Amino acid sequence: MVENRPLLTVISHLILLVGILLIALPIWITFVAATHDEARMLQAPIPMLPGGYFWENFKRTLFGSGLSGTEIAPVWRMLANSLAMAMMISLGKISISLISAFAIVYFKFPFRMGFFWLIFITLMLPVEVRIMPTFQVVANLGMLNSYWGLSIPLIASATATFMFRQVFLTIPDEMLESARIDGASPMRFFWDILIPLSRTNIAALFVILFIYGWNQYLWPLLITTDADMTTIVMSIKQMLEAAEQSPQWNVIMMTALLAMIPPVFVVISMQKLFVQGLTETDK
Amino acid sequence: MATINLDQLTKSYGPDEVLHHISGDINDSEFVVIVGPSGCGKSTLLRMIAGLETVTSGEISIGGKIVNEIEPADRDIAMVFQNYALYPHMSVRENMAYGLKIRKTPKDEITRRVNEAADILEIREYLDRKPRQLSGGQRQRVAMGRAIVRDPQVFLFDEPLSNLDAKLRVQMRLEIRKLQKRLGVTSIYVTHDQVEAMTLGDRLMVLNAGYVEQFDTPIELYERPASMFVAGFIGSPAMNFLTATGGDGLVILDNGTALPTRLSTSGPVIAGIRPEHLIAEPEGVLPVRVEMLEQLGANTLVHGVLDGSDIPIVASVTGIQSLPVNDVVRFTPGPDALHLFDANTERRLS
Ligand SMILES: Nc1ncnc2c1ncn2[C@@H]1O[C@H](COP(=O)(O)OP(=O)(O)OP(=O)(O)O)[C@@H](O)[C@H]1O
Ligand SMILES: [Mg+2]
């Protein structure tokens, strides 16, 4: 829609600016807090301009023991844990969903629709609902305090299966028939044609799932007791409670800042594919 | 090269039988067109030959070998689809090479064959483009190219030209015909366009509601249509049909006109006369009240009704004619222009 109405333009820009400010302000405060020393952060009013302790806080948070006087693992370790968990969840979900959607769309087997609905029903059972039995299973399998325990229960995914099913349904039947005449086996068709054609959808889903995995809080909290297995999101909450004296805002905010970087990096690097994946119809 | 034999082929979807006992033999290097109205089962028949649909009963043989249970890839066929079905993420070259690559053809052999096919179809300059960067006509050529590089025993085409504009369609039609003659590959071509069918096919299989109405050369279909369906389907504008009563060496139309014929018939019959075989004559036996004219330049179509009735008649007269609407013009069928059909079975009385 191309319109030329100055007032409308001004108003819409104003609304956008207010929106950006609302979203950006907390991030700015986080950043500012990460650049001051501990003492300054406890004085009111809180500073609105950056101070000179950024590198010091950065080093202390990332490589040091973080919060003074606690048993928390260094933040780089938590970042690595979170990264491993988020990657395992997103890649695991994508591969399993691709394969199950492939089976459901392209193969005739008994109770095919039954299986589809069975998968679909799990939508109604997110981890929070089935948390006790899931914990029991993971504990019995001896997967507490491990990456497997962190990621596997979150991998089986109806949403992704459902989405890939829709994507596959939009691919014309002739594509399959053409490949059959060309002599492609089912797996060959899957690799050479389905995967490349779903490329943008895979990227979009990866972004969403990575952030989903990265932001997991309850589940990691439940199954990790070992400080070495802490993820960054749960650590922030722990840091708030851990210190017996007043919270060390500079370290906590630096941790928060570091915690934001990987998701932002994923979104930015996948942006083009992500947008294509959500909007593209050219098949 | 190969012959194709269809023996009592039947196809059912659940309880619905959509193809009924189709039989026919296609010779080596022959170009056969399957033609019929929408939904008559043309694509289904072609897809059964390709192996993309299962056979309910009957047998399909290619090159003398029964292929009912053989995978499409092993039938040595190539197929061109209506929407081309090119792989969108592969370049033209990769699209053409894909089948060969799967068959583990040596690299230099693939390159040679792709280039050769690209030269034949004049698509060499597009080899590195993606399908979406091509026009409809170019995509069509790529789809043909993909079929050619395989060097198959049989080409199967399912309405490959229906997405093109009229002019390009005529041009591609000629090219397909020339290409088929040059390569000598047995071909089956599905279309609902009778002009396309008449110009392309060595023989035409006319399908109607899953039955073969007639399987013959274009000229034979035109001159001796086996049924009213074929008579009405082949030729444009469609044949006029008039109810009549048979007699000895003549038929009497409902308005009392007697038309001579070489046949002796009795009872109710249908007389068919092609519009282009009606000749305007002052003494003509068919008085037609003109309702509308269609000027096509080379000829003029006269739409009207048989005077004193509401039986529609179309006549095609050469050149540009201007006849006043509502006037009565008299026509006479040319010699041998009369086709007679049984009024009940709608089959030809010969
Ligand atoms: N998968 C299917 N299940 C049930 N009926 C089907 C199926 N595929 C086709 N049919 C039926 O079979 C008949 C023939 O279909 P087909 O596609 O062969 O027609 P067609 O002659 O190719 O028509 P068109 O010119 O429109 O392409 C139709 O009546 C159609 O409804
Ligand atoms: Mg069809």
Side-chain angles (χ1 to χ4, degrees), chain A:
Chain A
M1 197 165 60
V2 182
E3 284 191 44
N4 193 4
R5 280 191 265 169
L7 187 65
L8 198 73
T9 314
V10 169
I11 293 177
S12 49
H13 275 79
L14 269 180
I15 294 176
L16 284 175
L17 279 173
V18 170
I20 289 171
L21 276 181
L22 276 179
I23 291 171
L25 190 66
I27 297 174
W28 175 250
I29 290 178
T30 309
F31 172 69
V32 168
T35 61
H36 285 274
D37 67 351
E38 220 175 298
R40 176 67 187 86
M41 284 313 297
L42 293 175
Q43 295 161 13
I46 55 160
M48 290 305 286
L49 291 173
Y53 288 85
F54 181 82
W55 287 111
E56 203 184 314
N57 287 336
F58 181 75
K59 265 184 269 171
R60 178 173 155 204
T61 310
L62 195 56
F63 303 111
S65 60
L67 241 32
S68 45
T70 60
E71 296 288 300
I72 282 178
V75 167
W76 70 262
R77 175 87 215 194
M78 302 179 202
L79 280 172
N81 288 343
S82 280
L83 190 68
M85 178 177 72
M87 288 303 262
M88 281 170 83
I89 290 178
S90 44
L91 296 182
K93 270 197 188 219
I94 287 174
S95 2
I96 288 194
S97 312
L98 273 171
I99 294 171
S100 46
F102 179 52
I104 283 169
V105 175
Y106 289 101
F107 290 87
K108 283 201 189 106
F109 52 90
F111 311 114
R112 179 164 74 145
M113 275 337 258
F115 279 104
F116 175 67
W117 286 112
L118 220 57
I119 295 173
F120 197 72
I121 278 175
T122 62
L123 264 188
M124 288 166 224
L125 298 170
V127 178
E128 287 74 11
V129 176
R130 56 185 159 94
I131 201 151
M132 285 328 287
T134 309
F135 181 85
Q136 191 77 46
V137 170
V138 169
N140 288 347
L141 290 175
M143 294 199 296
L144 296 179
N145 281 315
S146 73
Y147 288 144
W148 298 116
L150 275 174
S151 50
I152 286 179
L154 298 170
I155 279 180
S157 169
T159 23
T161 307
F162 192 67
M163 195 190 98
F164 283 125
R165 174 178 177 265
Q166 297 309 101
V167 173
F168 292 170
L169 288 177
T170 63
I171 294 175
D173 287 346
E174 281 88 352
M175 210 64 78
L176 170 68
E177 292 171 350
S178 192
R180 273 181 75 189
I181 292 178
D182 271 339
S185 63
M187 280 327 280
R188 191 93 202 229
F189 172 70
F190 181 71
W191 281 115
D192 288 354
I193 295 174
L194 276 189
I195 300 272
L197 287 183
S198 321
R199 196 174 112 257
T200 53
N201 305 82
I202 294 174
L205 203 64
F206 176 76
V207 172
I208 293 169
L209 291 179
F210 184 86
I211 293 171
Y212 165 83
W214 187 265
N215 288 344
Q216 281 303 314
Y217 175 68
L218 185 60
W219 181 248
L221 193 64
L222 205 63
I223 73 146
T224 59
T225 44
D226 192 341
D228 273 352
M229 289 305 296
T230 335
T231 67
I232 189 132
V233 174
M234 57 188 276
S235 80
I236 293 174
K237 182 74 173 31
Q238 280 175 354
M239 283 180 178
L240 280 172
E241 291 161 352
E244 271 164 23
Q245 68 274 46
S246 35
Q248 299 168 27
W249 286 114
N250 55 337
V251 174
I252 296 173
M253 287 303 155
M254 179 56 85
T255 311
L257 214 54
L258 288 170
M260 271 189 269
I261 291 173
V264 167
F265 177 78
V266 165
V267 169
I268 289 177
S269 59
M270 294 275 202
Q271 193 178 27
K272 206 172 135 226
L273 283 174
F274 179 69
V275 173
Q276 271 180 21
L278 294 183
T279 56
E280 173 179 71
T281 49
D282 173 45
K283 280 269 148 53

Side-chain angles (χ1 to χ4, degrees), chain B residues 42-43 82 158-159 190:
Chain B
K42 311 180 289 292
S43 299
Q82 176 170 4
D158 193 354
E159 309 210 19
V190 160

